[in-house]
């Protein structure tokens, strides 16, 4: 087994920006480039230098997964991405393993008929997001009393007339807002627009979008969507460069602005909850989502046995590491996917060397002993050891 270069798959979603991923990989198309996928997911399977799908390499060359081949049935359990966010993503929530299995099984007949479904697979979807530039996100519900106070301040007429009666709990407020007649939603959103237009609060606070700025961004892109009210329901989180945010299943969230590394379970299960023209399955969202107050705590960091920085993971199936300038002697039991974000990295193993530069990525087989001479920065995703 050897370290192999891989080429990821770029996704040109409308919410992406036009410069970050192109500046990383050197491929300027003039279109928004939102995501660079580095994994084996069917929706974006990376390829080797020889043009082979990464999924085929991992499945057929069992040494890449090593002892984890049986554990994961020959499939890479993680998906690494680079995200470049110019506009707010949809409000979304992901299922746990149990919820995903139940939802996938429940939709079997719908899939057979070709009807719209909420589940793409039967896998859980934990994720984490590490900032490569200042990042603003929304994640988890705030305290109910704080929510009430902010809504009363920003849409006072609508709050007194309609919303106040819906605030017996976070769940009641969430579900009731979506159930309102279209005419009432429009009245609320019109008042929100007027309120924010009249507000003297800045949209930016140094490096980050303020809560007001997030709401303004949402209105610019989704002005008729009741999700534009959700910056006042959810925590607004700011990530400085190098900070990471874990997203556990059942947590409503949305990335709003910035660039970073996203690492997740190899799943595409997304249940949307607003800020989108796409389908919203409200009953299923209610089933899987937590309506508890949420403390959006950032990932803890530590140093692993090889001197790399390790970020605490919300999943047993992936971990994220980084390495800055220096020489590292490594032997991991797990497969790894790595991408250079600054400078270059020289790998050496068994008398062979390979140098990769900014924007290039590799797959590293399990159990390989190698040195890694970094001049810049590299990010590495791995499968943790089984307990």
């Amino acid at each position: 087994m050897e370290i192999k270069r891989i080429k990821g798959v770029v996704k040109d979603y409308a919410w992406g920006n036009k410069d970050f991923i192109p500046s990383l990989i050197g491929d300027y198309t003039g279109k928004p480039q939102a995501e660079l996928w580095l994994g084996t997911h069917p929706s974006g399977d990376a390829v080797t230098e020889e043009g082979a799908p990464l999924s085929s390499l991992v499945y057929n060359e069992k040494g890449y997964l090593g002892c984890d081949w049986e554990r994961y049935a020959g499939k890479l359990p993680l998906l690494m991405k680079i995200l470049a966010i110019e506009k707010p993503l949809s409000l979304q929530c992901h299922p746990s393993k149990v919820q995903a299995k139940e939802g996938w099984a429940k939709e079997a007949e719908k899939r057979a008929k070709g009807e719209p479904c909420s589940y793409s697979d039967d896998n859980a979807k934990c994720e984490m997001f590490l900032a490569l530039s200042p990042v603003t996100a929304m994640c988890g519900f705030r305290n109910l009393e704080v929510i009430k106070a902010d809504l009363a301040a920003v849409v006072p007429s609508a709050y007194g007339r309609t919303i106040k009666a819906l605030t017996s709990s976070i769940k009641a407020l969430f579900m009731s807002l979506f159930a309102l007649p279209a005419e009432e939603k429009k009245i609320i959103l019109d008042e929100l627009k007027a309120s924010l237009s009249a507000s003297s609060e800045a949209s930016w606070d140094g490096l980050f979008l303020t809560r007001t700025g997030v709401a303004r961004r949402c209105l610019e892109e989704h002005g008729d969507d009741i999700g534009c009210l959700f910056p006042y329901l959810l925590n607004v989180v700011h990530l400085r460069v190098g900070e990471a945010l874990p997203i556990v299943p059942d947590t409503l969230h949305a990335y709003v602005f910035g660039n970073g590394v996203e690492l997740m379970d190899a799943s595409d299960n997304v249940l949307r909850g607003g800020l989108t023209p796409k389908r919203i399955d409200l009953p299923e969202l209610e089933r899987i989502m937590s309506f508890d107050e949420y403390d959006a705590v950032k990932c803890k960091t530590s140093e692993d046995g090889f001197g790399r920085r390790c970020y605490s993971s919300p999943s047993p199936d992936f971990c994220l590491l980084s390495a800055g300038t220096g020489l590292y002697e490594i032997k991991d039991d797990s497969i790894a996917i790595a991408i250079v974000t600054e400078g270059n990295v020289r790998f050496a193993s068994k008398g062979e060397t390979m140098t990769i530069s900014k924007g290039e990525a590799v797959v590293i087989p399990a159990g390989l002993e190698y040195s890694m001479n970094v001049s810049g920065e590299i990010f590495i995703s791995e499968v943790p050891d089984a307990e």
Side-chain angles (χ1 to χ4, degrees):
M1 299 295 103
E2 61 181 350
I3 300 172
K4 280 186 175 287
R5 285 184 173 88
I6 59 173
K7 183 178 181 180
V9 177
V10 174
K11 302 288 187 176
D12 295 336
Y13 303 140
W15 51 261
N17 64 48
K18 296 181 180 180
D19 53 6
F20 187 78
I21 290 176
S23 71
L24 186 66
I25 64 175
D27 183 14
Y28 289 86
T29 66
K31 297 178 181 179
Q33 295 190 12
E35 298 184 351
L36 173 66
W37 288 32
L38 296 164
T40 60
H41 195 280
S43 296
D45 199 350
V47 296
T48 66
E49 281 185 292
E50 298 80 12
L54 181 58
S55 58
S56 296
L57 177 75
V58 170
Y59 187 84
N60 294 319
E61 301 282 346
K62 293 188 176 183
Y64 277 90
L65 274 172
C67 61
D68 286 325
W69 198 97
E70 297 293 337
R71 178 183 174 192
Y72 296 112
K75 298 178 181 179
L76 186 67
L78 58 82
L79 175 58
M80 189 179 198
K81 298 181 181 179
I82 302 294
L83 265 60
I85 305 158
E86 183 71 24
K87 302 174 183 178
L89 277 68
S90 60
L91 291 162
Q92 55 192 264
C93 187
H94 311 306
S96 67
K97 185 67 174 178
V98 171
Q99 290 169 338
K101 282 186 173 294
E102 291 172 350
W104 177 254
K106 187 169 60 176
E107 291 186 334
E109 189 173 335
K110 284 186 176 181
R111 285 194 302 276
K113 294 178 179 178
E115 296 176 359
C117 292
S118 296
Y119 290 87
S120 301
D121 50 64
D122 65 353
N123 294 326
K125 189 178 179 185
C126 285
E127 63 187 51
M128 59 194 297
F129 190 89
L130 182 142
L132 295 176
S133 70
V135 168
T136 299
M138 295 185 282
C139 181
F141 288 105
R142 304 165 76 201
N143 174 272
L144 181 59
E145 295 306 313
V146 174
I147 293 171
K148 290 179 183 179
D150 270 7
L151 291 178
V154 76
V155 285
S157 296
Y159 184 80
R161 183 184 62 256
T162 303
I163 298 175
K164 184 176 181 180
L166 311 177
T167 58
S168 58
S169 67
I170 293 173
K171 181 176 181 179
L173 176 60
F174 178 90
M175 300 301 292
S176 299
L177 285 173
F178 280 98
L180 289 173
E183 298 80 4
E184 185 59 37
K185 289 179 183 177
K186 184 178 185 306
I187 291 170
I188 293 172
L189 291 171
D190 284 348
E191 185 176 4
L192 179 62
K193 292 171 190 175
S195 177
L196 296 185
S197 294
S199 172
S200 61
E201 184 177 350
S203 290
W204 293 90
D205 179 10
L207 300 174
F208 305 104
L209 282 164
T210 62
R211 192 176 304 279
T212 295
V214 173
R216 286 174 177 150
R217 282 276 174 125
C218 293
L219 284 169
E220 287 170 8
E221 299 302 321
H222 306 281
D224 59 352
D225 190 315
I226 198 64
C228 292
L229 208 57
F230 279 54
Y232 301 99
L233 276 68
L234 301 177
N235 297 295
V236 171
V237 181
H238 296 144
L239 299 178
R240 295 185 178 275
V241 174
E243 292 184 326
L245 180 69
I247 306 289
V248 298
D250 81 12
T251 306
L252 189 67
H253 65 282
Y255 303 124
V256 179
F257 186 82
N259 310 298
V261 178
E262 186 180 39
L263 185 57
M264 63 183 67
D265 293 313
S267 169
D268 203 25
N269 281 326
V270 178
L271 283 95
R272 292 173 177 83
L275 302 181
T276 178
K278 295 182 179 179
R279 177 173 175 267
I280 296 176
D281 184 347
L282 201 56
E284 191 63 17
L285 193 63
E286 180 184 12
R287 184 181 80 86
I288 72 162
M289 194 167 73
S290 170
F291 295 93
D292 294 335
E293 181 183 340
Y294 186 81
D295 186 8
V297 177
K298 298 169 186 176
C299 296
K300 296 179 180 178
T301 61
S302 59
E303 187 175 293
D304 77 353
F306 306 111
R308 301 171 299 182
R309 191 178 192 187
C310 181
Y311 297 82
S312 58
S313 175
S315 170
D317 294 326
F318 63 72
C319 62
L320 180 64
L321 307 105
S322 66
T325 297
L327 180 63
Y328 303 82
E329 300 289 341
I330 299 169
K331 182 183 178 182
D332 276 332
D333 292 331
S334 111
I335 190 172
I337 303 290
I339 182 170
V340 178
T341 56
E342 291 292 340
N344 60 75
V345 176
R346 182 176 182 269
F347 294 98
S349 177
K350 301 177 182 179
E352 300 291 329
T353 64
M354 171 194 294
T355 299
I356 63 171
S357 301
K358 178 180 176 178
E360 294 187 303
V362 294
V363 56
I364 304 170
L368 185 71
E369 292 188 43
Y370 64 96
S371 67
M372 186 173 70
N373 195 341
V374 181
S375 298
E377 190 163 36
I378 187 170
F379 288 90
I380 306 140
S381 56
E382 291 187 347
V383 179
D385 294 335
E387 296 183 355

